[in-house]
Amino acid sequence: MKYPFSHIGIPTTEEKDWDGFYEPGKIHYTEFDKDDYKIEWVKFDDDSPMPEMMRTLPHVAYLVDNIEEALEGREILVDTFSPGDGVRVAFIEHNGAPVEFMEISS
């Protein structure tokens, strides 16, 4: 399987011009596609259910054709969820860092 780079997500406690809010995870985010360097800023509410690793460490994100296949044999940090129409994401822990897999249906 190929893993084309999508973006890097950087946690912050600063206020930004947020593009959206993912209610179940209590995550504010910017759209990485609007950034020249594919940076997604993320801010977690104090009561966010997301793991500490997600709230404190940057993550790198890759596009995958099949998220179930990409997750096979991996240490899952955050199970598959859909933050928007046609998008499924999951996070794994890889060598002590969070990695995001994104499956986008056309």
Side-chain angles (χ1 to χ4, degrees), residues 7-101:
H7 66 275
I8 185 167
I10 303 175
T12 185
T13 56
E14 297 176 7
E15 287 303 322
K16 302 277 183 194
D17 237 348
W18 303 114
D19 294 310
F21 180 69
Y22 178 65
E23 177 68 37
K26 300 191 177 184
I27 306 166
H28 305 263
Y29 61 89
T30 61
E31 293 285 346
F32 58 85
D33 284 337
K34 294 180 179 179
D35 186 83
D36 291 340
Y37 303 103
K38 301 293 185 196
I39 295 173
E40 170 191 51
W41 291 99
V42 290
K43 181 175 179 269
F44 300 85
D45 286 354
D46 291 339
D47 59 346
S48 171
M50 299 303 275
E52 181 179 353
M53 181 181 287
M54 292 294 307
R55 293 182 279 128
T56 57
L57 293 177
H59 69 269
V60 64
Y62 297 97
L63 298 171
V64 296
D65 294 329
N66 182 304
I67 204 159
E68 286 80 16
E69 186 179 318
L71 292 173
E72 280 183 32
R74 311 286 185 188
E75 185 175 340
I76 296 174
L77 186 61
V78 178
D79 214 350
T80 307
F81 66 96
S82 179
D85 290 340
V87 179
R88 295 191 321 145
V89 302
F91 290 84
I92 63 166
E93 181 178 338
H94 177 71
N95 293 331
V99 173
E100 179 179 7
F101 293 141

